[in-house]
Amino acid sequence: MRMVDIIQKKRNGEELTEAEIRFLISEYTEGRIPDYQVSAWAMAVYFKGMNAKEIAVLTDAIVKSGDQIDLSPIHGIKVDKHSTGGVGDTTTLVLGPLVATAGVPVAKMSGRGLGHTGGTIDKLESIPGFHVELTREEFINTVNRCKLSVVGQSGNLTPADKKLYALRDVTATVDTIPLIASSVMSKKIAAGADAIVLDVKYGSGAFMKTPEEAERLARTMVSIGEEVGRKTIAIISSMEQPLGFAVGNALEVKEAIDTLQGKGPEDLTELSLVLGAHMVHLGGKASSYEEARSKLEEIIRTGQALDVFKQFITAQGASPEAIDRPDEHLPKASRIEPIRASASGYVEQIAAEQIGVAAMKVGAGRETKESAIDMAVGIVIHKKIGDRVEAGDVIAQIHCNNEENLEEAAAMVQNAYQIRQNKPVQPKLIEKVIVTSKP
């Protein structure tokens, strides 16, 4: 079998066989196919696409390129959640304790962030003492005891995906649905989940810019789940403005704590309830979505999830006082710079991606893999779409520890806001729930 024939076949829009796809992935993982040939194949996929069967085989081949985690010693149905990313995407920090309190085990492997803010792992590491490196036995025991553990990804989990993503990133082939879907789902399947809930974002702060693009990606990922026997549900949600108020690592941990106490932002609370209710339903702890949601609303009303949050972080090395008194124990920036409205009117638009980039500029995220994250810094939004503002009102605050890039970040936040005289229609938070690959 020759790689040049596989490239030519896909360039001509033909369906690749299972043997061809498995050959490509295994040989590339082992270093026997050069980057330039896989780059050509990825570009052919970008223009010609892949059908559902090809994508399912590709995903399975990526899964089998490395380790697969056996979560069978963990009691119950393990439900994982994945977000396609956004700005201020704090949901995992809320969902973990919330769903675990409802009795569904959350055994999560997460990565570090490269972009606006850290990934879930980085955010949790802003809690002093929290560590993400557990042995397999410690991980399983923590989930069985607390119903929740979040650790770093195994070094040999889906190595083919790591190689492919690095290549796609420098060859302008990241944004193609077959390759996005296989990348996301391979990691979830290899990590051992029994069922998967996907939060597929669209909008100015998301990878997919329209609801239609997000729905195509969602149905593709649900199709992969159907093919490999994992119950998969996708929620299509808006990222036309930052989710919640906080964009930054310790800032998002504090916002998650507020949300679990019933004091969080309305949009973050609502999305967490929607995602969490589907997780609880799939996890067999409620007979319907409605029952699951009612259960989670009661958990938030009573604050029960905070106890699980404390047990979880204590099991992984942190002090529970970080949850009880976050203002005293979480990192805080030395300077808070207000951003003021330039005119009176209503907030019509917030360019979410600009807010995210501004947060990265002051140190909340990584521009490169080698960049160090400042856990204390970031941006807190004070006004969102539809809010009335007067000229001079504080619309956001930048939390920073030095003045490097502060002026640039402040200009980005200022320019991200569009203020108009007429009150706009509020953007819809949840666009659609996808339970099947069929339109």
Side-chain angles (χ1 to χ4, degrees):
M1 195 173 294
R2 299 191 311 162
M3 185 61 189
V4 67
D5 298 325
I6 294 172
I7 296 168
Q8 183 176 357
K9 193 172 178 182
K10 182 46 65 180
R11 183 202 68 188
N12 294 340
E14 298 174 40
E15 179 181 339
L16 299 180
T17 67
E18 178 173 346
E20 287 168 334
I21 294 170
R22 293 192 185 279
F23 168 82
L24 186 161
I25 294 301
S26 64
E27 293 297 291
Y28 182 55
T29 305
E30 295 299 324
R32 291 189 285 268
I33 296 175
D35 281 350
Y36 63 81
Q37 285 192 306
V38 178
S39 299
W41 167 79
M43 190 61 75
V45 171
Y46 182 92
F47 285 111
K48 297 297 185 178
M50 300 179 88
N51 63 30
K53 180 182 175 184
E54 288 177 292
I55 297 170
V57 172
L58 175 62
T59 304
D60 187 61
I62 294 172
V63 169
K64 289 175 178 171
S65 70
D67 295 339
Q68 296 180 62
I69 308 302
D70 178 12
L71 298 182
S72 60
I74 295 174
H75 313 309
I77 299 170
K78 281 70 70 179
V79 185
D80 203 351
K81 166 260 176 189
H82 177 81
S83 168
T84 57
V87 181
D89 194 3
T90 314
T91 50
T92 295
L93 300 176
V94 178
L95 283 170
L98 189 60
V99 172
T101 304
V104 176
V106 180
K108 190 162 184 60
M109 291 190 172
S110 289
R112 298 191 181 277
L114 181 61
H116 308 139
T117 63
T120 299
I121 288 295
D122 298 298
K123 293 169 189 178
L124 286 168
E125 283 186 331
S126 71
I127 304 172
F130 188 92
H131 58 265
V132 301
E133 303 299 331
L134 301 182
T135 66
R136 180 177 179 274
E137 184 178 6
E138 288 170 335
F139 178 53
I140 288 168
N141 288 343
T142 301
V143 180
N144 279 332
R145 188 168 71 254
C146 306
K147 292 293 183 187
L148 171 62
S149 183
V150 182
V151 296
Q153 287 179 350
S154 157
N156 199 41
L157 204 71
T158 63
D161 179 64
K162 293 181 178 71
K163 288 192 71 173
L164 278 171
Y165 192 89
L167 190 67
R168 289 163 55 211
D169 196 34
V170 295
T171 57
T173 52
V174 169
D175 53 340
T176 176
I177 285 176
L179 302 184
I180 297 171
S182 58
S183 175
V184 170
M185 292 299 288
S186 64
K187 290 192 282 284
K188 296 293 110 180
I189 294 163
D194 298 318
I196 302 164
V197 174
L198 301 164
D199 179 15
V200 183
K201 306 287 193 185
Y202 73 90
S204 63
F207 206 62
M208 315 309 286
K209 297 304 180 187
T210 68
E212 293 76 20
E213 289 177 325
E215 182 170 344
R216 285 197 296 273
L217 176 58
R219 291 195 187 279
T220 301
M221 292 193 287
V222 169
S223 173
I224 293 170
E226 290 171 346
E227 287 284 340
V228 300
R230 301 292 204 283
K231 181 64 177 174
T232 305
I233 290 177
I235 286 79
I236 299 175
S237 67
S238 172
M239 188 51 73
E240 291 288 10
Q241 62 180 332
L243 183 67
F245 299 124
V247 184
N249 298 282
L251 295 170
E252 291 184 46
V253 172
K254 173 64 167 62
E255 185 165 82
I257 295 167
D258 290 342
T259 303
L260 291 170
Q261 293 176 313
K263 300 182 295 184
E266 186 178 330
D267 55 352
L268 176 59
T269 301
E270 175 62 17
L271 183 58
S272 297
L273 285 169
V274 171
L275 294 168
H278 283 292
M279 292 175 74
V280 171
H281 183 212
L282 289 180
K285 296 300 179 180
S287 60
S288 66
Y289 166 83
E290 290 75 19
E291 181 189 335
R293 179 168 176 132
S294 177
K295 182 179 288 192
L296 295 183
E297 288 172 347
E298 179 64 19
I299 288 169
I300 288 178
R301 270 196 298 271
T302 59
Q304 297 171 65
L306 287 177
D307 290 332
V308 171
F309 205 163
K310 287 189 283 189
Q311 292 168 23
F312 151 57
I313 68 162
T314 301
Q316 294 192 214
S319 167
E321 292 182 351
I323 307 301
D324 291 328
R325 296 192 297 279
D327 288 333
E328 296 176 29
H329 292 274
L330 294 179
K332 287 195 289 190
S334 60
R335 176 173 177 176
I336 299 176
E337 181 75 12
I339 307 299
R340 299 183 183 276
S342 58
S344 299
Y346 293 92
V347 177
E348 182 182 66
Q349 183 178 332
I350 306 173
E353 189 169 8
Q354 276 186 244
I355 299 290
V357 173
M360 182 179 68
K361 289 291 182 184
V362 297
R366 296 183 179 91
E367 288 196 70
T368 70
K369 289 181 180 178
E370 291 73 34
S371 300
I373 286 179
D374 185 337
M375 296 298 185
V377 305
I379 295 167
V380 176
I381 301 296
H382 286 264
K383 298 293 183 180
K384 300 192 74 169
I385 293 175
D387 289 345
R388 174 74 190 178
V389 298
E390 302 299 329
D393 283 355
V394 175
I395 53 177
Q397 292 176 322
I398 298 178
H399 292 236
C400 60
N401 280 323
N402 60 64
E403 295 191 7
E404 185 180 359
N405 298 327
L406 176 57
E407 187 176 339
E408 182 183 3
M412 282 183 165
V413 175
Q414 187 88 57
N415 294 334
Y417 274 82
Q418 287 190 14
I419 297 171
R420 298 288 184 267
Q421 290 306 305
N422 296 324
K423 187 170 184 177
V425 176
Q426 286 282 1
K428 187 191 296 186
L429 179 63
I430 308 293
E431 181 70 23
K432 191 175 288 189
V433 177
I434 306 295
V435 296
T436 175
S437 60
K438 307 295 185 291

